[in-house]
Amino acid sequence: MKLAERMSSYEDMVGPGITACSGCNVELSMRTALQILGPNTIVAVPPGCMGGVQSVGWADKTGMKIPVFFPLLDNTASMLSGIKKYYERIGRDVNVVAFAGDGASVDAGFQALSGAAERGDNIIYICYDNEGYMNTGFQRSSSTSLGSWTSTTPVGDASHGKSSHKKDMPMIMAMHDIAYMATASPAYMPDLIRKIEKAKTIKDGLVYIHIYNSCTTGWGYPSEKSIDIVRKGVKSRFMPIYEVDHGKFKLNVDIKDPIPLMDYLSSMKKYKHLSEQQIEELQKYVDDKWKNLKTLCEVMG
Amino acid sequence: MTKTEFICAVGKELNIINTGDWKMYPVVIDQEKCVKCSMCFQYCPTKSVKYVDGTYFINPDFCKGCGVCIEECRSNAIDFVKGE
Ligand code: SF4
Ligand code: SF4
């Protein structure tokens, strides 16, 4: 079936009007993921952009057509583990899903997520990575990349953006030996859709999907460039698209001929101030990570 | 399946924000230029691009006017209708 036909046959599980910024590709990712996961799903959206845009509801009204929880920033995975255990005990097969930002996954909620991964709880944990606490005013997270301007890593005489690299969360999750780990990008929709469909079929452990998103307001680019930006991220090898299915590594989007990293960095305000040295450091980071990934795909493919 | 089959509380009705109000101008597909590549459909963040009977069109109700579809359409078939 054609992609458009297939996607049209799934209902949107999110209420039609949510207050995500105009052009937000996280809204796109959340709608697409939940469309595929479907009505037999319980979702938790912790504090973060997508919690803030009223997908979790407001007052006595709900934001979704499926049950939605608004857990704490740090307990999403453990709460879902408990919910999943209950449904396993009564013998009912339900998709128990987290849609959480990088702050709630890579920083504050990491311990709960790592625990659920180690126990092998059968939940689907989707992390939307827009490199920071964007809805509270663009503070840095441990997923923010080197050199990025954020409100807590300002640019001036004493500070030149974030001084450390991004935490390599997808690889960290892969090294938990979970059932299925994948990275995805809203610019590569058929790949993203396939991975969510695959996640639904996994019943023997934790699924972690890391979506490389962006943020129009926090990164500083016009709303219509939302897809173009993340496509450049993938094409410059900054956002590698791969999966680890029960220990088998596979590169899904092989970038044989990367575009210059500068094409990506220069398309937004976030990196406008970068020095030559910072650009070199970023390039080295990207090259090293890519080489490492290629090796893993060869050796553990 | 009704919502009450689950153990968590859910609101009785949907909280809906009228995001259709956000746009400056309506966004429209020129059907003559459209080559049905589905890019606008895949990338619209609000899922306002609909596909019915082989045709793509934009439902204006919740379209925020972000311009993603305009930018991604390689046939230049989509644009704002800026009016008189
Ligand atoms: S992106 Fe343009 S050509 Fe492709 S389906 Fe949409 S309107 Fe038609
Ligand atoms: S302008 Fe934005 S919200 Fe409106 S149809 Fe196009 S992509 Fe969707």
Side-chain angles (χ1 to χ4, degrees):
Chain A
M1 212 195 295
K2 264 176 71 172
L3 182 138
E5 272 171 43
R6 194 160 93 239
M7 289 306 290
S8 297
S9 71
Y10 301 138
E11 196 191 344
D12 202 346
M13 291 295 141
V14 185
I18 57 169
T19 62
C21 301
S22 187
C24 176
N25 60 31
V26 184
E27 176 176 356
L28 169 63
S29 307
M30 178 171 73
R31 286 187 185 281
T32 306
L34 291 175
Q35 238 181 318
I36 298 161
L37 290 162
N40 190 31
T41 301
I42 291 173
V43 65
V45 187
C49 288
M50 285 303 111
V53 300
Q54 304 186 0
S55 66
V56 293
W58 186 253
D60 62 344
K61 292 185 179 169
T62 178
M64 300 219 193
K65 300 171 193 170
I66 45 176
V68 53
F69 283 89
F70 192 36
L72 300 176
L73 194 59
D74 49 9
N75 73 344
T76 309
S78 41
M79 189 197 75
L80 291 181
S81 294
I83 291 176
K84 184 72 190 188
K85 277 281 169 287
Y86 169 78
Y87 280 104
E88 278 171 358
R89 187 168 299 172
I90 65 167
R92 182 165 162 199
D93 189 19
V94 178
N95 306 315
V96 176
V97 178
F99 197 82
D102 50 293
S105 313
V106 184
D107 286 348
F110 180 70
Q111 177 268 128
L113 173 57
S114 177
E118 182 267 332
R119 290 189 301 271
D121 292 332
N122 184 216
I123 61 175
I124 301 172
Y125 196 104
I126 304 174
C127 169
Y128 60 94
D129 179 9
N130 53 11
E131 299 202 351
Y133 296 83
M134 304 329 253
N135 78 317
T136 47
F138 324 127
Q139 293 87 0
R140 62 90 98 179
S141 78
S142 57
S143 201
T144 306
S145 48
L146 180 114
S148 297
W149 170 89
T150 68
S151 59
T152 46
T153 54
V155 174
D157 291 341
S159 161
H160 312 281
K162 196 186 172 209
S163 58
S164 56
H165 280 297
K166 184 182 174 73
K167 198 193 266 184
D168 190 355
M169 187 65 173
M171 196 59 82
I172 291 167
M173 290 312 292
M175 293 301 149
H176 277 69
D177 298 328
I178 54 178
Y180 185 62
M181 196 306 291
T183 66
S185 167
Y188 290 75
M189 260 308 153
D191 176 79
L192 188 148
I193 291 168
R194 180 183 67 77
K195 285 168 177 169
I196 307 282
E197 283 171 339
K198 166 109 190 168
K200 246 175 114 169
T201 66
I202 305 266
K203 303 290 173 201
D204 60 343
L206 189 126
V207 174
Y208 178 81
I209 296 184
H210 191 98
I211 306 183
Y212 287 113
N213 288 103
S214 58
C215 170
T216 63
T217 40
W219 291 21
Y221 60 84
S223 61
E224 69 271 16
K225 292 285 183 192
S226 260
I227 298 297
D228 194 48
I229 290 266
V230 286
R231 185 184 292 123
K232 281 180 178 161
V234 174
K235 290 199 159 166
S236 60
R237 294 181 175 170
F238 194 83
M239 302 167 171
I241 304 301
Y242 67 104
E243 68 189 341
V244 187
D245 184 356
H246 296 89
K248 271 190 182 320
F249 276 73
K250 184 166 186 219
L251 197 56
N252 303 116
V253 181
D254 192 4
I255 307 296
K256 296 207 173 70
D257 220 351
I259 61 166
L261 188 57
M262 248 347 247
D263 282 8
Y264 169 65
L265 300 176
S266 63
S267 49
M268 60 197 113
K269 228 172 90 188
K270 171 173 147 111
Y271 299 113
K272 207 177 70 202
H273 55 277
L274 288 189
S275 66
E276 285 294 318
Q277 195 206 335
Q278 282 171 313
I279 296 167
E280 270 171 37
E281 277 179 53
L282 276 169
Q283 184 70 61
K284 184 173 180 325
Y285 175 84
V286 169
D287 292 346
D288 288 351
K289 288 283 174 195
W290 187 265
K291 214 173 120 198
N292 189 18
L293 180 60
K294 281 289 244 188
T295 311
L296 284 168
C297 291
E298 272 160 34
V299 181
M300 299 174 71
Chain B
M1 182 188 313
T2 63
K3 284 171 182 169
T4 48
E5 284 176 51
F6 294 92
I7 52 168
C8 72
V10 286
K12 288 196 180 69
E13 51 184 301
L14 271 181
N15 178 55
I16 296 173
I17 309 294
N18 182 12
T19 55
D21 257 9
W22 293 12
K23 59 179 156 316
M24 302 277 285
Y25 308 102
V27 186
V28 172
I29 298 179
D30 180 343
Q31 297 296 342
E32 298 204 337
K33 288 191 191 163
C34 172
V35 297
K36 306 197 192 310
C37 66
S38 90
M39 288 302 139
C40 53
F41 175 90
Q42 290 185 38
Y43 293 137
C44 170
T46 61
K47 301 275 172 186
S48 293
V49 179
K50 305 293 176 194
Y51 176 72
V52 180
D53 297 333
T55 306
Y56 295 90
F57 68 94
I58 292 166
N59 176 350
D61 292 354
F62 295 96
C63 160
K64 295 175 182 174
C66 66
V68 163
C69 56
I70 302 174
E71 180 77 15
E72 293 300 323
C73 175
R74 281 155 222 175
S75 314
N76 291 321
I78 315 180
D79 209 347
F80 292 113
V81 180
K82 295 206 169 155
E84 295 78 46

